[in-house]
Amino acid sequence: RQPMKTPAGSPFFVARPPGGAKLFIIAIGVCALLLAGCGKKDKEATQTAAKVNKEEITVYDINFLLSQRRAVPPEQAASVTSASRQALEQLIDQQLEIQQAQDQKLDRQPRVMQQIEAARREIIARAYLEKIGEGAPKPSPQEIAAYYQANPALFKDRRIYSLREVDIEATPEQVATLKSALPSAKTFAEFITFLKSNNYRYTGAEVVRPAEQLPLASVKQFATLKDGQAVFNERPGGVQIIYLAQSKSEPVNEQQAGRPIEQFLSNQRKLKLVADDLQTLRSAAKIEYKGAFEAAAASEPYQPASAPELPPLISIAPPASESSASAAPQVDVAPPPVTAASMPSDATLDKGLKGLK
């Protein structure tokens, strides 16, 4: 044994095997590789939450699953909480099911393969739409204030409505009869008795809804209703009657409404941006209908879905017409108590129909 100097001058005491320096360099290289491999395994182990037979479930899988659950705060996703443990157990069950399905070749069945491909297309298309939607302009404080002022029924004059909803099956001839029978009834209970005695098929519910949970196109109409009045809506196969049993005022100030309005306007602009982009793509693409669809497309050309008409960025006017499926800005206030969905008793319905519509 004799001391050997490194280039830096540090002494190492080593035995010189046959081959001398060459074998020594090889040994050092092997050790370095082993140490690097151990470090890599340790790093990977920290990201592995469980192994199911030979398949690994990682912390990334758990975090992704938790990110899909809005109720879990992001800061909890990185730590082992009851939510993350529950997510892990769910992933373990899922992995066991996947392994069994693959053993039985269920993943090769035509129906399953079609579902997988459909899910893949939907995920990719949604990613593109989200990217397009990111270009939507953010509403300015002036626009938010203008929307607040233009929609008093949602904010300054906001009301909570206790409603009786009745859906009635009826022929066109019966619809005409119902139109005259409703205002003729002295009470809403009397109208319900009329339906029963004439063997109308109907379903009813008793609900409590704030203004923002009404169809956006109906908000102004309901704002004009007084307690004891009703709305008569014709529908395919019958009618729907909504009776306003009572209401109470619960206004929302501009500060409370600011954030919901901003989110609402942003979402509407994203919808319009996406709809406009899709129309541009259709115009530029060569689309050929085949088979039976060729004749159908020729007789009834494609009509793009109507995008919400939004005001220019410099101002906001009251919306002229909006889809009944649109939802108003959801204001974060204490929710009203919800009554069980059932037909009201005669006592609760014994209110006058003065000014019934």
Side-chain angles (χ1 to χ4, degrees), residues 165-240:
E165 300 178 354
V166 182
D167 291 293
I168 309 168
E169 295 182 16
T171 64
E173 294 77 15
Q174 290 174 321
V175 169
T177 302
L178 291 171
K179 273 186 177 179
S180 60
L182 181 60
S184 300
K186 295 180 180 179
T187 66
F188 198 67
E190 182 178 313
F191 177 73
I192 297 298
T193 302
F194 168 82
L195 296 179
K196 293 177 180 177
S197 61
N198 288 275
N199 298 319
Y200 282 92
R201 297 183 62 181
Y202 68 92
T203 57
E206 184 175 321
V207 297
V208 177
R209 289 180 179 154
E212 65 272 14
Q213 290 183 11
L214 298 172
L216 191 55
S218 302
V219 170
K220 292 183 179 179
Q221 180 185 17
F222 275 87
T224 63
L225 289 181
K226 298 179 180 179
D227 293 356
Q229 294 183 327
V231 176
F232 188 98
N233 292 324
E234 293 188 34
R235 291 186 170 185
V239 300
Q240 182 191 53

Side-chain angles (χ1 to χ4, degrees), residues 22 45 59 81 97 116 129 134 155 181 191 228 242 261 274 352:
K22 184 176 181 180
V59 174
T81 63
E97 293 161 357
I116 293 173
L129 295 181
E134 290 174 358
F155 309 114
F191 177 73
I242 305 177
I261 292 175
V274 166

Side-chain angles (χ1 to χ4, degrees), residues 335-349:
V338 178
T339 312
S342 62
M343 280 304 298
S345 64
D346 289 351
T348 60
L349 290 175

Side-chain angles (χ1 to χ4, degrees), residues 55 94-95 97-117:
E55 300 295 331
Q94 187 182 67
Q95 187 59 55
E97 293 161 357
I98 291 173
Q99 291 173 3
Q100 289 300 308
Q102 291 173 335
D103 289 344
Q104 299 175 31
K105 299 189 181 338
L106 298 180
D107 57 324
R108 307 310 301 168
Q109 290 184 350
R111 178 178 60 86
V112 176
M113 293 177 67
Q114 284 181 332
Q115 291 175 332
I116 293 173
E117 178 59 22

